[in-house]
Amino acid sequence: MEVILASTSATRQSMLRSAGVMATAVASDIDEAPIKQSFRDAGQSAAAAAMALAREKALAVSARHPDQLVIGADQILDCEGRWFDKPADASAAAEHLRKLSGRVHQLETAIVCAAGGACIWAHSEAPRLKMRPLSDAFIAAHIRSEGDRILYSVGAYRLEGPGIQLFERIDGDFFAILGLPLLHLLSFLRQFGVLPS
């Protein structure tokens, strides 16, 4: 059985490849905004919304590739009840960092595997990160050095790069912070027979 990643995230693709999982990336093409809004309107948690989005992505791609194992994943940054989306541009990234500066936020990270158009496994993690207080000068320099790469992260940082300098403390799985709870996924892939045990 081939593996499909229902995402075009370069970071998630790289993590799977580095772990020896050859997965084809296929965009789910779901509209995330109304799903997130419906959860916000219903007073649901960011964790529940992330799981719903991961499920919808996996199921959408599984419907088109029913004979493959499809991995869907999603991540929502929650800082004191405020949900953050990926910044649209450098100005929005700077605003993200100003709002996260000196605060603790959670990365609600969900993963779902689907086969034959049905969900067969799901897992979630919620790493907590404490960002140190950041000066406007540091934020501007950080954004200049990172360029467009920070636009692909909900927090406007790359923990696997210079973004590590933003933090005082990190509690939780490093891979989940990057967007894919890799150890749990690899365990499932071994149990499912995709990887050797």
Side-chain angles (χ1 to χ4, degrees):
M1 179 175 280
E2 292 182 20
V3 177
I4 294 176
L5 176 64
S7 168
T8 56
S9 162
T11 301
R12 289 188 180 112
Q13 290 175 56
S14 176
M15 279 195 284
L16 288 173
R17 205 168 35 247
S18 295
V21 179
M22 299 302 109
T24 303
V26 175
S28 67
D29 296 326
I30 69 162
D31 188 355
E32 296 185 27
I35 297 172
K36 284 183 183 177
Q37 192 59 51
S38 70
F39 275 78
R40 283 193 187 107
D41 292 346
Q44 295 289 314
S45 67
M51 183 59 74
L53 287 164
R55 185 182 307 110
E56 289 301 315
K57 291 174 184 179
L59 290 175
V61 175
S62 185
R64 302 195 308 259
H65 302 274
D67 297 329
Q68 313 306 325
L69 177 69
V70 179
I71 301 167
D74 196 77
Q75 186 176 69
I76 296 176
L77 189 157
D78 184 341
C79 182
E80 301 171 359
R82 177 176 179 175
W83 300 5
F84 285 68
D85 293 315
K86 292 175 184 174
D89 52 30
S91 176
E95 185 63 18
H96 271 40
L97 294 175
R98 280 193 289 272
K99 288 180 175 162
L100 297 174
S101 174
R103 293 186 170 91
V104 174
H105 65 266
Q106 286 194 171
L107 290 171
E108 301 293 353
T109 307
I111 182 170
V112 171
C113 288
C119 295
I120 59 172
W121 180 79
H123 179 77
S124 64
E125 298 268 341
R128 291 171 59 84
L129 298 88
K130 171 71 183 292
M131 193 173 282
R132 66 182 181 83
L134 306 174
S135 68
D136 286 343
F138 181 89
I139 289 171
H142 177 71
I143 289 172
R144 276 196 308 274
S145 70
E146 283 288 84
D148 288 346
R149 290 173 292 199
I150 58 171
L151 303 182
Y152 303 109
S153 162
V154 291
Y157 56 79
R158 292 185 313 122
L159 202 69
E160 69 277 25
I164 192 66
Q165 296 183 35
L166 307 175
F167 294 94
E168 287 182 2
R169 190 178 72 250
I170 295 171
D171 299 313
D173 179 69
F174 178 75
F175 297 110
I177 292 168
L178 299 187
L180 200 64
L182 192 57
L183 295 175
H184 291 278
L185 174 61
L186 293 175
S187 177
F188 166 74
L189 293 178
R190 285 191 295 270
Q191 294 170 22
F192 198 66
V194 173
L195 294 177
S197 58

